[in-house]
């Protein structure tokens, strides 16, 4: 049988362009099925965001786990103190004043004959409420004012910078003594308002710097070139990438505000009786520290543990959200 002459067109038709395409397709499928692809770029190696990486690090950090469990416990007993304390914190018996630990009253009694354990438990509600609400107010106003100043700049930025300098020059404790000494309310709102008034400049500066850094990134410039509005740039592109430092500072500041409330209550210008507060109990117990140290030990210990838990939580969050520390 005579040989057929070689014809390129026939060879292509025999193998078929579809065969070449099938081969390319099968190679692509093989690469997709290979973990990580040829250079670790497959679907199993998806890029992680800052928040997912931070959460992964936090879950492995024992400091975060311990502090989070302590804070969770404090939040639960501040919402439902009767779960672990069935007594009335305002019910006192002068006949038992300054007595030590007894069955059913493990912390003893204070100078008025009130159960120290019950007052310590119910004092958690006041301290956590003041700390959380003050932190939320400071974070909101500081972030909004600082973020707008950093984004728009100009005269608004200059005015806010000089205003924050004025507030930074006011000593916090002295400002509390002056402003709260004229307040007669027994509620927590004057104390929270004072903390927000003097606390927002710190968050404002942090937010301003973060926004200035974020708005210079290429993705923000690209979005602006594509015609994105200022509100879209702020809410969609800048805020998610500038909020991490604010969260860190606010978390650490929460413990500071709890300590500040106790300090002002100790000095007599913060919360006032019959409000149950650790600062009030510490102030009342300070004059009996030699004869009945248990009156001071338990509320002061609860305050120290609470402040330490929030500071440790803030440090752990800072380490997780700061890429330079990875």
């Amino acid at each position: 049988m005579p040989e057929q002459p070689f014809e390129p067109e026939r060879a292509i038709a025999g193998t078929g362009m579809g065969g070449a395409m099938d081969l390319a397709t099968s190679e692509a499928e093989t690469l997709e099925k290979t973990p990580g692809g040829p250079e670790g770029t497959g679907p199993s190696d998806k890029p992680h965001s800052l928040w997912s990486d931070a959460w992964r690090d936090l879950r492995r950090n024992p400091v975060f786990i311990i502090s989070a469990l302590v804070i969770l416990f404090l939040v639960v007993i501040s919402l439902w103190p009767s779960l672990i304390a069935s007594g009335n914190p305002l019910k006192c018996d002068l006949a038992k004043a300054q007595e030590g630990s007894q069955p059913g009253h493990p912390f003893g009694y204070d100078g008025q004959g009130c159960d120290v354990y019950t007052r310590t438990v119910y004092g958690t509600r006041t301290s956590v409420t003041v700390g959380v609400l003050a932190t939320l107010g400071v974070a909101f106003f500081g972030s909004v004012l600082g973020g707008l100043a950093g984004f728009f700049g100009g005269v608004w930025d200059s005015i806010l910078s000089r205003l924050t300098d004025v507030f930074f020059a006011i000593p916090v404790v002295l400002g509390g003594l002056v402003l709260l000494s004229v307040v007669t309310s027994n509620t927590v709102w004057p104390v929270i308002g004072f903390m927000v008034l003097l606390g927002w400049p710190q968050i404002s500066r942090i937010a301003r710097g973060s926004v200035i850094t974020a708005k210079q990134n290429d993705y923000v410039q690209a979005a602006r070139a594509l015609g994105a509005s200022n509100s879209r740039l702020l809410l969609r592109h800048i805020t998610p990438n500038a909020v991490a430092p604010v969260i860190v500072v606010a978390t650490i500041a929460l413990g500071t505000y709890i300590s500040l409330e106790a300090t002002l209550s100790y000095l007599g210008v913060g919360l006032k009786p019959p409000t149950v507060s650790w600062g009030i109990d510490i102030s009342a117990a300070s004059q009996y520290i030699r004869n009945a140290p248990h009156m001071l030990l338990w509320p002061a210990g609860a305050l120290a543990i609470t402040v330490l838990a929030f500071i440790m939580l803030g440090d752990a969050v800072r380490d997780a959200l700061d890429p330079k520390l990875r």
Side-chain angles (χ1 to χ4, degrees), residues 51-73:
W51 301 102
S52 61
D53 288 341
W55 175 240
R56 187 182 66 247
D57 292 342
L58 287 174
R59 287 182 299 176
R60 301 174 181 175
N61 190 343
V63 173
F64 170 78
I65 295 175
I66 294 174
S67 59
L69 290 177
V70 172
I71 292 173
L72 179 61
F73 173 74

Side-chain angles (χ1 to χ4, degrees), residues 2 9 37 40 43 46 51 76 92 108 119 128 144 151 185-186 198 201 204 209 211 236 257 275-276 279 300:
E9 292 83 355
K46 293 181 180 178
W51 301 102
V76 170
C92 306
R119 291 187 64 85
V128 172
V144 170
F151 182 77
S185 174
N186 292 330
L198 293 187
S204 176
V211 169
R236 187 72 180 271
Y257 293 139
T275 304
V276 181

Side-chain angles (χ1 to χ4, degrees), residues 62-225:
V63 173
F64 170 78
I65 295 175
I66 294 174
S67 59
L69 290 177
V70 172
I71 292 173
L72 179 61
F73 173 74
L74 293 172
V75 170
V76 170
I77 65 174
S78 65
L79 294 175
W80 301 284
S82 58
L83 291 177
I84 61 173
S86 58
N88 186 348
L90 301 179
K91 184 179 179 180
C92 306
D93 185 359
L94 285 174
K96 299 181 179 179
Q98 303 182 36
E99 292 186 2
S101 176
Q102 297 180 7
H105 306 278
F107 295 175
Y109 296 89
D110 63 8
Q112 300 296 322
C114 302
D115 184 26
V116 176
Y117 172 77
T118 304
R119 291 187 64 85
T120 302
V121 171
Y122 275 83
T124 308
R125 169 182 292 177
T126 303
S127 297
V128 172
T129 300
V130 171
V132 170
L133 294 181
T135 301
L136 291 177
V138 166
F140 175 77
F141 288 106
S143 299
V144 170
L145 295 176
L148 292 177
F151 182 77
F152 291 104
V155 177
W156 173 252
D157 189 17
S158 301
I159 294 175
L160 184 68
S161 298
R162 301 293 75 78
L163 188 61
T164 54
D165 291 339
V166 172
F167 277 92
F168 274 124
I170 302 176
V172 177
V173 177
L174 179 60
L177 290 173
V178 173
L179 296 178
L180 295 177
S181 60
V182 298
V183 177
T184 59
S185 174
N186 292 330
T187 64
V188 299
W189 297 110
V191 178
I192 294 173
F194 163 75
M195 293 181 181
V196 173
L197 179 64
L198 293 187
W200 69 265
Q202 180 186 17
I203 298 292
S204 176
R205 283 196 170 181
I206 298 295
R208 173 183 174 273
S210 298
V211 169
I212 290 177
T213 302
K215 75 176 184 179
Q216 297 173 354
N217 291 326
D218 293 338
Y219 58 85
V220 176
Q221 302 300 328
R224 188 188 299 275

